[in-house]
Amino acid sequence: MRLLALAVSVSVVTLAAACGANGQDGAQAGDPLETRPANAPGQQPAFAGQTRAPAVRTEAALAHTVVASGLVEPWGLALLPDGRWLVTERPGRLRIITAEGAIGEPIAGLPAVDPQGQGGLLDVVIGPTFAGDRLIYWSYAEPRDGGNGTAVARGRLSDDGARVGNVEVIFRALPTYEGRLHYGSSLAFSPDGKLFITLGERSDAAMRPQAQDLGSHMGKTIRINADGSVPADNPFVGREGALPEIWSLGHRNVQGIAIAGNGDVWTVEHGTRGGDEVNLDRAGLNYGWPDVAYGVEYRGGAINAGVTAREGTEQPVYYWDPVIAPGGMTVYDGVMFPGWRGNLLVAGLKEKHIARLVLEDNRVVGEERLMTDLGERVRDVAVAADGAVWAVTDETDGKLVRLAAVN
């Protein structure tokens, strides 16, 4: 292993006590955290608290430490049982990085990726039976005849961490498309061992309607067994014309998923100019895109006549306008910040922070921006065994960063 960076920089931020220990007391009476004008000022939320949640603050002094640098557009990270991290780099490399910052050489044995645009090597997770079989799973933009598409593969990580073997592709998103955008794709295992995969609708205007088409994987959340087979209780199993892997539909570009201990599936997806969404992603439901959306088109003007609600489609639990451009997400359940338990931590690319969303009865009642002084695009976020928060930054000199309480 080579040591690229160890504790390159440390930034300490002392946050005043502006709320109770759980980050919720008084939150509903606070001023909204977001003060910038909306891109779609005429749109109204469907219910109170759906956007512009009150600002909350953590009662602690926090410090972030840059543990490792020199990574090229890192995308996903996953904690190994021994405390080391699996980190993907979008051009196609997977590495192991120690908690002290030693960066391993690229792991051998991965299939080729198509790294153009937003494509490449994307997310990585360890399997639920890793202790016995050392299986890891990763998503990537797969080069194909006629274009490319999101795929998920799995393989056995060697005992020395140098390579993956017995690699098999267990899912391929269809149809194949010649494009550069909106691959998704985040991965998460549920407590019952099912693998969830999030997908984009490939962005282009001609592809958008496929988010509503049950005969296409585009713009869907997928649920499969760990071996790639389809669970018998998936919501569209046996429905004519529907792909049985589909869990939910009507998504734009979902790059974050987190599954709570009670099995609730949370996803976060990119909007256009406005309309980043946090969804409680439930079986068989339609989340609206492109028929229903908040925000406006990139070029300006309404999306589908500005419709924000329609019978048969679900409202997001929360949305941002203006956007933060969300990446990965996790549900916090660590010991370092007991007041954060059950909160969502969302990586922010455009706004360069981690958004902490305080949940109460599956509604957002407070929002905090963490690690704002790092000044880099935060791509993914995870929690270590000690409760510290770790993140990777999507830069050509990407960082692995640890955020922790100051003793």
Side-chain angles (χ1 to χ4, degrees):
M1 287 190 173
R2 53 194 175 93
L3 187 64
L4 285 194
L6 174 59
V8 172
S9 64
V10 178
S11 177
V12 180
V13 179
T14 302
L15 297 172
C19 60
N22 63 1
Q24 297 180 17
D25 296 350
Q28 296 182 30
D31 294 330
L33 177 64
E34 181 58 76
T35 59
R36 296 172 296 168
N39 290 289
Q43 293 178 347
Q44 298 300 315
F47 51 84
Q50 192 184 21
T51 191
R52 296 180 179 252
V56 296
R57 283 186 172 183
T58 298
E59 289 184 348
L62 306 178
H64 74 251
T65 303
V66 176
V67 175
S69 62
L71 301 168
V72 180
E73 298 178 5
W75 210 98
L77 74 163
L79 183 64
L80 290 166
D82 62 7
R84 297 181 298 166
W85 293 94
L86 285 169
V87 178
T88 63
E89 293 176 287
R90 195 180 60 78
R93 294 179 293 273
L94 175 64
R95 301 180 188 272
I96 293 176
I97 305 179
T98 71
E100 296 74 35
I103 302 177
E105 295 298 323
I107 295 171
L110 272 69
V113 306
D114 189 347
Q116 63 177 321
Q118 295 174 352
L121 183 58
L122 303 174
D123 205 7
V124 61
V125 292
I126 67 168
T129 55
F130 180 86
D133 57 27
R134 295 189 62 82
L135 285 177
I136 64 171
Y137 296 71
W138 62 93
S139 59
Y140 62 104
E142 179 186 51
R144 303 174 186 168
D145 290 341
N148 53 48
T150 305
V152 177
R154 70 175 183 174
R156 184 187 184 278
L157 181 66
S158 62
D159 293 344
D160 62 3
R163 64 179 299 108
V164 288
N166 302 321
V167 172
E168 57 179 332
V169 178
I170 61 170
F171 174 79
R172 285 186 169 96
L174 296 172
T176 295
Y177 182 66
E178 182 63 71
R180 298 164 50 89
L181 303 173
H182 290 197
Y183 297 89
S185 164
S186 189
L187 306 175
F189 277 99
S190 59
D192 64 358
K194 301 297 189 289
L195 177 61
F196 284 78
I197 305 162
T198 66
L199 299 172
E201 67 357 346
R202 303 309 305 272
S203 181
D204 295 343
M207 294 297 289
R208 282 182 176 185
Q210 293 200 21
Q212 291 292 319
D213 181 358
L214 288 172
S216 166
H217 289 128
M218 304 299 103
K220 309 300 192 301
T221 299
I222 303 299
R223 177 180 181 253
I224 57 176
N225 294 314
D227 63 0
S229 61
V230 177
D233 61 347
N234 267 10
F236 299 108
V237 168
R239 179 165 169 174
E240 186 177 357
L243 296 172
E245 302 89 1
I246 295 173
W247 172 261
S248 65
L249 66 152
H251 300 287
R252 184 169 181 268
N253 189 27
V254 187
Q255 292 189 332
I257 185 169
I259 302 180
N262 65 358
D264 282 349
V265 179
W266 292 90
T267 56
V268 61
E269 66 187 80
H270 290 265
T272 52
R273 289 175 55 198
D276 288 347
E277 293 184 1
V278 175
N279 286 300
L280 185 53
D281 203 332
R282 289 180 166 147
L285 297 186
N286 183 347
Y287 291 85
W289 180 260
D291 299 336
V292 177
Y294 289 94
V296 299
E297 296 281 9
Y298 289 119
R299 63 181 180 273
I303 303 168
N304 196 28
V307 175
T308 60
R310 178 173 290 175
E311 186 176 357
T313 66
E314 299 301 305
Q315 284 289 312
V317 169
Y318 194 66
Y319 72 89
W320 287 274
D321 183 6
V323 300
I324 67 167
M329 174 171 63
T330 191
V331 177
Y332 187 85
D333 189 24
V335 296
M336 186 172 291
F337 302 104
W340 292 5
R341 286 180 180 160
N343 291 185
L344 300 179
L345 300 180
V346 181
L349 292 158
K350 181 178 181 293
E351 293 306 310
K352 301 179 179 181
H353 67 260
I354 297 171
R356 179 173 73 93
L357 301 180
V358 182
L359 296 178
E360 202 170 82
D361 297 326
N362 291 332
R363 291 285 186 261
V364 176
V365 298
E367 182 174 359
E368 180 178 19
R369 294 171 181 163
L370 303 170
M371 219 162 67
T372 56
D373 50 339
L374 180 64
E376 297 195 11
R377 290 162 49 88
V378 183
R379 167 55 72 179
D380 199 12
V381 60
V383 179
D386 65 355
V389 175
W390 289 68
V392 288
T393 65
D394 182 15
E395 306 282 351
T396 54
D397 179 16
K399 314 291 194 302
L400 176 65
V401 186
R402 180 179 185 265
L403 178 68
V406 177
N407 294 328

